[in-house]
């Protein structure tokens, strides 16, 4: 305070006033808006439903990072069979911390209060979820001057390949996890967020029983019995490109 003349701390108010919500007029056909973080609203992902009072269709996100909103919208526009991890994002922005926070963020709650947004759109007509997602996507691009899309980038990966099957050196245990094919195996490994993206070049639907593993070497010992191995390599893979318009 002495050096800066002010102090920047989040407000704690146990007696927040009720939010002033503008009523939607019966003659309104459509509108969309973006607002800052609201302490009066619960964090909420994608909602698309009919308001029985106004007979209008409302689409909304409440108190969400913009990056998460885009991932949600892209997923509704085009289904993908892989998980979006940090290695599957290509940032082309001046400051990515404005759009999302990572595990290094020490004060995620404060980050949310400063950077999360609320989005709301009201329409008179009903659309398919895919078409509505496209309209929300266009709104966000126009509001924020962004372009977010699926593209290609070269990345270090773990490639799942076929090898000659051999007996596993790992003992079977009660904690074995049964996975329905290699696509599920790839998803489970990606979900740990500890390894590079997994590229499935085996494409098998055979059930795989995998025990606990601390690293890829131990996992490969389980996979050996199925004639498979994860090998470090590089590939051009699909990524989410998050870019600011110049």
């Amino acid at each position: 305070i002495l050096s800066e003349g002010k102090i920047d701390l989040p407000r704690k108010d146990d007696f927040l006033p009720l939010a002033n919500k503008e009523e939607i007029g019966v003659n309104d056909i459509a509108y969309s808006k973006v607002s800052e973080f609201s302490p009066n609203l619960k964090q909420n992902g994608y909602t698309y439903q009919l308001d029985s009072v106004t007979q209008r269709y409302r689409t909304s996100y409440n108190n969400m990072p913009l990056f998460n909103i885009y991932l949600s919208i892209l997923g509704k526009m085009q289904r993908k069979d892989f998980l979006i991890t940090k290695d599957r994002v290509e940032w082309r922005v001046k400051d990515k911390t404005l759009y999302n926070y990572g595990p290094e963020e020490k004060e995620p709650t404060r980050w949310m209060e400063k950077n999360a947004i609320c989005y709301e759109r009201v329409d008179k007509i009903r659309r398919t979820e895919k078409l509505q997602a496209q309209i929300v996507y266009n709104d966000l691009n126009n509001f924020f001057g962004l372009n977010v899309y699926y593209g290609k980038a070269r990345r270090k990966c773990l490639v799942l390949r076929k090898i000659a099957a051999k007996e596993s050196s790992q003992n079977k245990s009660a904690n074995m996890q049964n996975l329905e094919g290699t696509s599920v195996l790839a998803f489970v490994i990606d979900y740990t967020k500890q390894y590079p993206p997994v590229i499935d070049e085996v494409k098998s639907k055979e059930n795989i029983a995998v025990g606990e593993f601390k690293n890829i070497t131990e996992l490969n010992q389980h996979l050996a019995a199925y004639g498979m191995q994860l090998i470090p390599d590089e590939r051009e893979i699909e990524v989410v490109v998050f870019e600011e318009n110049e």
Side-chain angles (χ1 to χ4, degrees):
I1 294 174
L2 291 174
S3 61
E4 301 292 334
K6 63 179 181 179
I7 187 166
D8 180 21
L9 292 173
R11 182 178 68 170
K12 183 180 187 302
D13 190 341
D14 294 328
F15 302 96
L16 286 168
L18 294 175
N20 293 322
K21 183 169 176 136
E22 297 178 4
E23 292 296 328
I24 303 167
V26 293
N27 295 322
D28 290 342
I29 296 175
Y31 78 81
S32 60
K33 69 176 183 179
V34 171
S35 55
E36 62 186 8
F37 175 91
S38 172
N40 297 324
L41 294 175
K42 249 188 192 180
Q43 186 181 62
N44 196 40
Y46 180 82
T47 302
Y48 181 39
Q49 60 189 13
L50 176 67
D51 186 316
S52 59
V53 176
T54 64
Q55 291 299 300
R56 299 291 186 266
Y57 293 93
R58 181 174 179 270
T59 311
S60 66
Y61 288 91
N62 291 335
N63 295 336
M64 297 283 292
L66 192 54
F67 177 73
N68 293 51
I69 295 177
Y70 266 107
L71 288 191
S72 169
I73 289 298
L74 287 176
K76 296 180 186 306
M77 290 166 55
Q78 189 177 0
R79 304 283 183 187
K80 296 292 182 179
D81 59 358
F82 53 81
L83 195 66
I84 303 297
T85 60
K86 63 181 178 62
D87 295 309
R88 282 195 182 265
V89 182
E90 177 82 8
W91 291 101
R92 298 178 185 174
V93 300
K94 293 176 183 175
D95 183 3
K96 67 180 182 180
T97 63
L98 296 176
Y99 305 109
N100 195 29
Y101 67 88
E104 71 280 356
E105 175 61 50
K106 296 178 181 178
E107 298 180 281
T109 300
R110 190 170 177 180
W111 185 97
M112 293 289 288
E113 290 172 347
K114 185 178 179 181
N115 297 294
I117 67 158
C118 299
Y119 168 88
E120 182 179 48
R121 182 181 178 91
V122 172
D123 293 284
K124 188 175 182 179
I125 62 172
R126 171 78 181 179
R127 302 183 182 92
T128 64
E129 187 175 83
K130 184 176 181 179
L131 182 54
Q132 187 68 10
Q134 179 68 58
I135 289 171
V136 173
Y137 172 81
N138 292 338
D139 274 349
L140 294 173
N141 283 350
N142 291 332
F143 281 136
F144 294 98
L146 295 169
N147 190 20
V148 183
Y149 56 93
Y150 290 113
K152 296 274 189 177
R154 196 158 187 84
R155 293 285 192 267
K156 291 181 179 179
C157 304
L158 289 173
V159 180
L160 186 64
R161 294 177 182 168
K162 280 185 172 292
I163 61 168
K166 52 186 177 182
E167 188 175 344
S168 172
S169 60
Q170 293 290 317
N171 295 324
K172 291 187 176 181
S173 68
N175 295 325
M176 298 291 281
Q177 188 176 9
N178 287 308
L179 307 176
E180 297 179 358
T182 53
S183 63
V184 178
L185 172 66
F187 182 89
V188 168
I189 299 169
D190 283 344
Y191 191 76
T192 66
K193 299 181 180 179
Q194 297 179 35
Y195 307 104
V198 175
I199 306 302
D200 178 13
E201 293 186 351
V202 177
K203 306 290 186 185
S204 170
K205 297 196 179 294
E206 177 188 2
N207 281 357
I208 305 166
V210 176
E212 294 180 354
F213 60 93
K214 296 177 183 176
N215 49 52
I216 295 301
T217 300
E218 289 188 7
L219 177 56
N220 276 336
Q221 290 171 349
H222 289 289
L223 297 177
Y226 299 93
M228 295 183 290
Q229 189 171 32
L230 285 160
I231 301 169
D233 206 340
E234 284 192 7
R235 290 286 189 278
E236 189 175 58
I237 64 172
E238 277 196 281
V239 298
V240 172
V241 180
F242 200 103
E243 68 181 9
E244 294 168 340
N245 295 327
E246 295 182 357

